[in-house]
């Protein structure tokens, strides 16, 4: 019975991951960004990490088109990043720092600062600044975001393949 339940859980997890992949591949809309920002604060840490990973991919897919998003969506995105950059989960904070660096490079100094000043409070501005300074202090070079996205996709594909192989073992 346990094998059957584990196989069903793996199947459900695999289907959920496929749904998220389809969402971020085909639904590059304001509502997608808003929902993913909201889910970054879910009680379940796995949901938080998955949402941030999906949000990262959406931002990477939007690239230069990010400026076409609704100003409220951009504001919510920046607020989310400001809250997560100094979070308790190091992996998420590291990802957010890379996203901030990517947006800074994509938008340019002037537009990035303008977006931040328009939508963020003073405390949130300090958090975003910490994210920018944190990279410099630790000696990071400005990362190539497309390489970062490709690495995350590769990890997700490996993860999905492992679960698929595991589910085949449990089904047989």
């Amino acid at each position: 019975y346990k094998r059957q339940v584990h196989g069903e859980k793996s199947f459900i997890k695999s289907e959920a991951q496929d749904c998220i992949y389809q969402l971020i591949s085909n639904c590059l809309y304001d509502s997608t960004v808003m929902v993913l920002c909201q889910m970054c604060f879910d009680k379940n840490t796995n949901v938080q990490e998955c949402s941030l990973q999906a949000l990262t991919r959406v931002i990477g897919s939007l690239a230069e088109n990010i400026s076409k998003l609704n100003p409220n969506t951009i504001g919510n995105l920046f607020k989310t990043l400001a809250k997560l950059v100094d979070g308790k989960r190091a992996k998420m904070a590291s990802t957010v720092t890379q996203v901030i660096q990517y947006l800074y490079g994509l938008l340019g100094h002037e537009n990035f600062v303008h977006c931040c000043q328009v939508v963020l409070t003073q405390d949130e501005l300090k958090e975003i600044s910490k994210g920018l300074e944190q990279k410099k202090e630790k000696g990071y070079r400005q990362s190539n975001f497309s390489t970062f996205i490709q690495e995350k996709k590769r990890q997700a594909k490996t993860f999905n393949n492992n679960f698929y192989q595991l589910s085949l073992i449990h089904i047989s």
Side-chain angles (χ1 to χ4, degrees):
Y1 179 72
K2 284 184 180 182
R3 282 186 175 178
Q4 183 181 5
V5 169
H6 183 71
E8 289 172 3
K9 285 182 181 179
S10 295
F11 173 76
I12 291 169
K13 186 171 186 171
S14 173
E15 288 298 307
Q17 288 174 337
D18 186 48
C19 288
I20 290 171
Y21 176 76
Q22 293 300 323
L23 173 79
I24 61 179
S25 298
N26 301 310
C27 299
L28 301 175
Y29 304 114
D30 290 278
S31 56
T32 305
V33 174
M34 295 292 273
V35 168
L36 291 173
C37 284
Q38 181 182 0
M39 296 309 296
C40 285
F41 301 104
D42 192 81
K43 286 190 276 186
N44 185 323
T45 56
N46 290 330
V47 172
Q48 290 175 359
E49 288 180 358
C50 184
S51 298
L52 181 59
Q53 185 179 40
L55 182 62
T56 301
R57 288 184 185 163
V58 167
I59 292 168
S61 296
L62 283 169
E64 289 82 21
N65 293 322
I66 201 158
S67 60
K68 294 180 182 175
L69 291 173
N70 182 307
N72 290 333
T73 304
I74 293 173
N76 192 29
L77 173 63
F78 274 82
K79 286 181 176 292
T80 300
L81 296 174
K83 290 176 185 171
L84 293 174
V85 75
D86 203 22
K88 294 177 184 175
R89 302 186 60 82
K91 183 178 176 182
M92 288 180 69
S94 173
T95 300
V96 169
T97 301
Q98 291 178 351
V99 171
I100 290 170
Q101 285 288 318
Y102 172 73
L103 289 172
Y104 182 82
L106 183 69
L107 298 173
H109 177 76
E110 231 175 85
N111 291 331
F112 184 85
V113 170
H114 177 72
C115 283
C116 288
Q117 289 175 339
V118 169
V119 299
L120 300 177
T121 65
Q122 285 300 107
D123 290 339
E124 291 168 336
L125 277 170
K126 288 177 187 173
E127 293 302 321
I128 291 284
S129 296
K130 279 184 199 175
L132 289 170
E133 291 169 12
Q134 195 173 25
K135 289 285 262 193
K136 293 174 189 170
E137 287 173 10
K138 290 184 177 180
Y140 290 108
R141 60 177 175 77
Q142 186 170 353
S143 66
N144 182 343
F145 195 69
S146 61
T147 305
F148 173 73
I149 293 293
Q150 288 172 354
E151 177 63 20
K152 290 295 181 186
K153 284 180 181 177
R154 187 192 61 71
Q155 288 174 357
K157 188 174 183 179
T158 303
F159 182 73
N160 287 340
N161 288 340
N162 290 344
F163 270 109
Y164 177 72
Q165 290 170 357
L166 185 61
S167 66
L168 290 177
I169 293 169
H170 289 292
I171 291 172
S172 2

